[in-house]
């Protein structure tokens, strides 16, 4: 395990009634028909230890790369893509309120990815973990643009207890899978300094999160997107509960 791994923030509240049938926008979304990815070369700057400016530049490079990747996938699926706004700050507040201790969140109402540069990012930058702040939150932006986030949110507020937890996990694990598909095309440009297998080990051994679910399942979905090289493999809404706990 590589120490210091943290999961990116959530989108908004999310979950499902035990007997509810997910709507087609979740299970048959056009984004699943966006095809297989090919290699994408992105200009992503290096991170200099102790330099907030280099971290801002890194996040900006990652954001541009994510926009290029998802714009192509949306075109392939016959969907319209619009980039999110990006706010990178060293403080604890953003346009969507307080940024969580995880350091990143997606705010659908403002269509904004808010990223907080954490002290640990300055003192001991773990490039892949920092990159994941962008990749995961872009997954939530994809969910928002495709109607997935709205549909999940509607189910969440009609649910309670464990049903909400499962719905939250389905949303977060799909964002992980979308991130994996993104990495399948861009990992060489990110140049994380570790192998994919090492990264998967890090994810699978991270601390468990009630919102995100079991680390082993998060690794499963991220690896599924990476190995499949397509959003086609990211339909968490049809997966059995054992894969989203």
């Amino acid at each position: 395990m590589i120490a210091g791994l943290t999961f990116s923030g959530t989108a908004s509240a999310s979950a499902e009634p035990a007997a509810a049938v997910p709507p087609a926008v979740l299970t048959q979304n056009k984004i699943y028909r966006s095809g297989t990815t090919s290699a994408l070369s992105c200009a992503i700057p290096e991170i200099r230890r102790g330099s907030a400016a280099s971290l801002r530049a890194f996040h900006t490079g990652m954001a541009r790369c994510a926009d290029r990747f998802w714009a192509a996938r949306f075109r392939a699926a016959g969907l319209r893509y619009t980039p999110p706004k990006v706010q990178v700050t060293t403080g604890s507040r953003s346009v969507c309120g307080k940024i969580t201790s995880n350091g990143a969140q997606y705010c659908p109402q403002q269509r904004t990815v808010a990223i907080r540069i954490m002290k640990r990012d300055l003192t001991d930058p773990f490039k892949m973990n920092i990159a994941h702040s962008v990749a995961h939150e872009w997954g939530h932006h994809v969910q928002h643009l495709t109607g997935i986030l709205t549909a999940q949110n509607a189910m969440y507020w009609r649910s309670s207890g464990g049903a909400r937890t499962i719905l939250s996990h389905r949303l977060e694990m799909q964002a992980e899978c979308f991130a994996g598909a993104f990495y399948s095309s861009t990992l060489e440009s990110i140049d994380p300094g570790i192998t994919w297998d090492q990264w998967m080990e890090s994810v699978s051994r991270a601390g468990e999160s009630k919102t995100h679910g079991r680390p082993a399942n998060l690794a499963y979905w991220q690896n599924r997107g990476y190995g499949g090289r397509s959003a086609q493999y990211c339909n968490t809404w049809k997966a059995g509960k054992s894969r989203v706990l």
Side-chain angles (χ1 to χ4, degrees):
M1 173 182 178
I2 299 175
L5 179 64
T6 57
F7 289 115
S8 294
T10 63
S12 60
S14 320
E16 91 196 346
V21 177
V25 70
L26 297 179
T27 60
Q28 301 172 40
N29 201 283
K30 284 185 178 180
I31 196 62
Y32 304 146
R33 303 195 293 273
S34 60
T36 304
T37 69
S38 55
L40 177 64
S41 179
C42 296
I44 301 176
E46 288 298 316
I47 298 171
R48 300 189 306 276
R49 188 184 301 271
S51 171
S54 74
L55 280 163
R56 288 180 185 274
F58 179 82
H59 285 305
T60 298
M62 283 289 300
R64 289 172 179 165
C65 190
D67 278 334
R68 287 177 58 198
F69 174 84
W70 285 111
R73 304 275 49 84
F74 272 56
R75 283 195 300 271
L79 296 167
R80 181 173 179 267
Y81 179 81
T82 55
K85 297 176 182 178
V86 182
Q87 182 182 25
V88 182
T89 178
T90 55
S92 61
R93 300 198 67 81
S94 71
V95 294
C96 12
K98 187 174 182 180
I99 301 180
T100 67
S101 59
N102 290 326
Q105 63 190 63
Y106 178 66
C107 316
Q109 186 174 358
Q110 296 86 355
R111 291 198 177 191
T112 297
V113 173
I115 301 171
R116 180 182 181 184
I117 295 176
M118 309 295 286
K119 183 178 180 180
R120 62 175 177 264
D121 299 334
L122 290 166
T123 59
D124 187 21
F126 175 12
K127 187 188 287 188
M128 193 62 181
N129 195 42
I130 296 170
H132 202 58
S133 295
V134 171
H136 178 91
E137 301 311 327
W138 243 260
H140 286 314
H141 183 60
V142 169
Q143 290 170 324
H144 182 53
L145 293 180
T146 56
I148 290 171
L149 188 56
T150 299
Q152 187 266 6
N153 203 43
M155 293 183 72
Y156 181 88
W157 292 112
R158 294 196 301 268
S159 308
S160 61
R164 282 190 168 191
T165 298
I166 293 295
L167 273 171
S168 177
H169 291 184
R170 291 190 190 280
L171 189 77
E172 297 298 334
M173 291 184 186
Q174 183 173 59
E176 289 289 293
C177 187
F178 285 160
F182 167 71
Y183 292 140
S184 73
S185 185
T186 61
L187 196 65
E188 186 173 342
S189 291
I190 297 171
D191 188 22
I194 60 171
T195 67
W196 181 255
D197 286 344
Q198 287 173 324
W199 172 241
M200 284 295 91
E201 182 183 1
S202 299
V203 175
S204 66
R205 293 176 179 270
E208 186 165 345
S209 162
K210 180 179 179 181
T211 299
H212 293 78
R214 292 176 180 169
N217 279 337
L218 290 162
Y220 168 82
W221 285 104
Q222 197 178 141
N223 193 53
R224 186 172 166 85
Y226 180 82
R229 304 182 67 88
S230 174
Q232 168 189 349
Y233 296 92
C234 300
N235 191 347
T236 58
W237 310 98
K238 284 189 172 182
K241 284 188 178 182
S242 64
R243 275 298 177 197
V244 292
L245 287 176

